[in-house]
Amino acid sequence: MDDQAHAARTMWNLLHEWWTMLPRERRSPAAADRAIRQARKDIDWLGVLPAQAAQAVLKAYLQAWNSCWAGRAGEPKFKARFRTVMSVDIPQGRDLHIIRVHRRWGLVNIPKIGRVRFHWTKDLPVGKRAGKENRITGARLVNDALGWHIAFRVQTLERGQEHHARPEVGIDVGINVPLALSDGTTYGHDKWLTEREMTELLRLEQRAAHRRRFQKHREKTSKRLRATYDRIQALRARAKRRHLDWQHQTTTDIAKKYGTVVVEALQITSMVRSARGTVDQPGKNVVQKTGLNRAINGEAWGRTVEMLDYKTARNGGTLAKVPASGTSQRCSACGFTTSGSRESQAVFVCKNPNCGWSGNADHNASRNVLHLYRMGLALIPAAGRAVARRARRVKPTTAR
């Protein structure tokens, strides 16, 4: 599997060099397909990669360019060996021949490798449960710091969910309180690594820094240093898995309980911008801002919103976004807004002499988020704005 993953990465790089070298008028999927077939004949070790997996590389590369031309992503780039996730795509499900041995293990056929045992973690449509409307269409092999994993692509036919009469809720995301809901509910978590694991991670990072001091410029990384890096990556991968598990459980619970979920339209990229500044105008509190940026990135707010988006739709609900400005400074009781109302990270005290309401700052912000939605200030998605602009450009016609 390692050989196939390296061959797939090399195939991508060769295809990228070939595509960017040719003039535009000579670029076409058919020409790229012929180039891939010729490369598998000329370079022996590229033949380790199955032909259909090589076609999947071509398909992914063309999709990357389509996303670039549509403005959804940047241009495809060269895949470096140590910065790229090793993966192999199996585009056809009929080649897998999945068999469930017992409740914990199953067997799958991987092209040019054979039968491989895998840990059965979720029900799959195999045997009598498989059909035209519920079947496995392919798989993807992915290698991370914890080993090789297989993810199956399943095609199912789901009935459209009707909108259920469930309550509305506003959500405020934070660091100390990851998710605060407008009805007073909070969702928190502990540290993703235990104290023992954190101590081990710190010790390994110090060991790697010490060994890196003796490495000369452009010298190949030693086996000991690479083994240390592997152990560090394994601990970080374990923390990421725990984070993903918490996000999935939390977002599933919210999507089942509430019909309309309202979140802030945060510009996370701007929020985590460095405060270092320039030589002429150096930044202030750079260390504190760096720690805040690291904490924001660690919470992965964008991934939480993406999960809420498709899970609310799956459960017959909707996800709405409202402007984020002023939600933490407005009093949810009287509507008075001032910058000095938030006395601390957790306490909000209204400065209006006729109000004086005080409470949890995160719950206050989440109630303001829900208030903006009820006032009709929900933001229109980018696709909806494009449709609205096209509709305004069309001149109305009158019947005679």
Side-chain angles (χ1 to χ4, degrees):
M1 286 190 285
D2 289 345
D3 294 340
Q4 288 192 12
H6 285 303
R9 181 188 60 84
T10 307
M11 185 72 72
W12 172 285
N13 293 334
L14 293 175
L15 181 62
H16 180 62
E17 293 294 332
W18 176 87
W19 185 273
T20 54
M21 181 181 62
L22 284 182
R24 291 189 176 182
E25 59 273 9
R26 295 180 57 185
R27 300 175 186 173
S28 66
D33 181 46
R34 290 193 297 269
I36 284 180
R37 294 176 184 271
Q38 188 64 34
R40 295 184 73 249
K41 293 179 181 179
D42 297 340
I43 305 175
D44 295 337
W45 57 272
L46 286 181
V48 176
L49 187 68
Q52 294 180 355
Q55 295 297 319
V57 173
L58 173 60
K59 183 179 179 181
Y61 185 77
L62 296 177
Q63 287 179 349
W65 273 114
N66 291 331
S67 299
C68 174
W69 294 329
R72 296 189 298 267
E75 294 184 2
K77 296 182 180 180
F78 179 87
K79 289 188 176 183
R81 178 170 183 173
F82 299 111
R83 294 193 300 269
T84 304
V85 178
M86 297 177 63
S87 62
V88 181
D89 197 42
I90 305 175
Q92 295 187 358
R94 65 170 181 264
D95 299 332
L96 297 174
H97 304 292
I98 301 172
I99 299 176
R100 186 163 190 174
V101 180
H102 52 81
R103 68 184 185 90
R104 289 191 177 183
W105 294 98
L107 288 175
V108 60
N109 183 63
I110 299 177
K112 292 199 174 185
I113 294 178
R115 304 294 286 173
V116 178
R117 188 178 69 167
F118 68 94
H119 191 196
W120 197 290
T121 58
K122 195 172 183 179
D123 291 336
L124 296 172
V126 296
K128 297 181 179 180
R129 298 182 57 187
K132 293 183 178 180
E133 298 177 352
N134 190 24
R135 59 192 178 93
I136 296 176
T137 59
R140 187 176 181 84
L141 299 168
V142 181
N143 185 21
D144 61 8
L146 299 178
W148 278 97
H149 314 281
I150 185 168
F152 298 100
R153 289 190 297 270
V154 180
Q155 175 183 326
T156 59
L157 180 63
E158 296 184 358
R159 296 181 179 179
Q161 295 287 341
E162 298 180 357
H163 184 76
H164 300 284
R166 295 194 299 269
E168 302 171 340
V169 67
I171 298 180
D172 177 69
V173 295
I175 297 174
N176 294 331
V177 180
L179 295 178
L181 277 58
S182 57
D183 59 357
T185 307
T186 57
Y187 289 92
H189 57 76
D190 298 329
K191 294 182 179 179
W192 306 122
L193 294 176
T194 62
E195 293 294 334
R196 184 175 180 179
E197 292 170 340
M198 288 293 295
T199 304
E200 178 70 10
L201 179 61
L202 179 61
R203 185 180 65 83
L204 291 173
E205 290 177 345
Q206 291 175 348
R207 178 187 297 178
H210 176 73
R211 289 176 174 172
R212 196 164 51 243
R213 289 170 51 192
F214 300 96
Q215 183 179 356
K216 297 180 181 179
H217 182 61
R218 298 191 176 214
E219 184 182 4
K220 187 177 180 180
T221 305
S222 64
K223 293 183 179 180
R224 289 185 177 182
L225 182 56
R226 190 168 302 283
T228 305
Y229 285 152
D230 292 341
R231 295 177 63 184
I232 292 174
Q233 291 178 358
L235 285 173
R236 291 177 177 173
R238 188 181 304 172
K240 183 178 179 180
R241 284 194 172 190
R242 292 171 181 172
H243 191 185
L244 279 171
D245 180 67
W246 177 84
Q247 283 183 312
H248 275 292
Q249 293 188 24
T250 303
T251 52
T252 300
D253 186 59
I254 293 174
K256 290 182 178 180
K257 286 183 179 179
Y258 303 97
T260 302
V261 180
V262 189
V263 297
E264 297 174 298
L266 297 173
Q267 300 295 330
I268 302 177
T269 305
S270 301
M271 294 174 63
V272 297
R273 190 170 297 166
S274 176
R276 187 173 301 174
T278 61
V279 177
D280 299 331
Q281 296 180 351
K284 298 180 181 179
N285 300 325
V286 178
V287 178
Q288 291 84 347
K289 184 64 169 62
T290 302
L292 177 62
N293 294 346
R294 189 181 297 111
I296 292 175
N297 289 326
E299 289 298 329
W301 295 337
R303 189 168 59 201
T304 302
V305 174
E306 289 180 359
M307 291 181 181
L308 284 173
D309 191 7
Y310 74 83
K311 289 184 180 182
T312 50
R314 182 181 297 174
N315 288 274
T318 56
L319 177 74
K321 294 183 179 181
V322 296
S325 59
T327 55
S328 61
Q329 300 174 357
R330 179 184 179 275
C331 177
S332 60
C334 67
F336 183 75
T337 304
T338 181
S339 58
S341 297
R342 194 158 183 170
E343 293 188 350
S344 65
Q345 186 66 26
V347 180
F348 180 92
V349 178
C350 182
K351 299 301 181 181
N352 187 357
N354 298 325
C355 179
W357 180 85
S358 63
N360 185 274
D362 298 311
H363 293 319
N364 176 74
S366 61
R367 284 192 285 268
N368 289 328
V369 170
L370 183 59
H371 172 75
L372 292 176
Y373 171 76
R374 291 174 175 174
M375 292 293 292
L377 298 178
L379 299 177
I380 303 176
R385 290 197 297 269
V387 172
R389 285 195 298 267
R390 288 196 296 268
R392 286 196 297 267
R393 286 197 296 266
V394 177
K395 295 182 180 180
T397 57
T398 56
R400 293 182 180 180

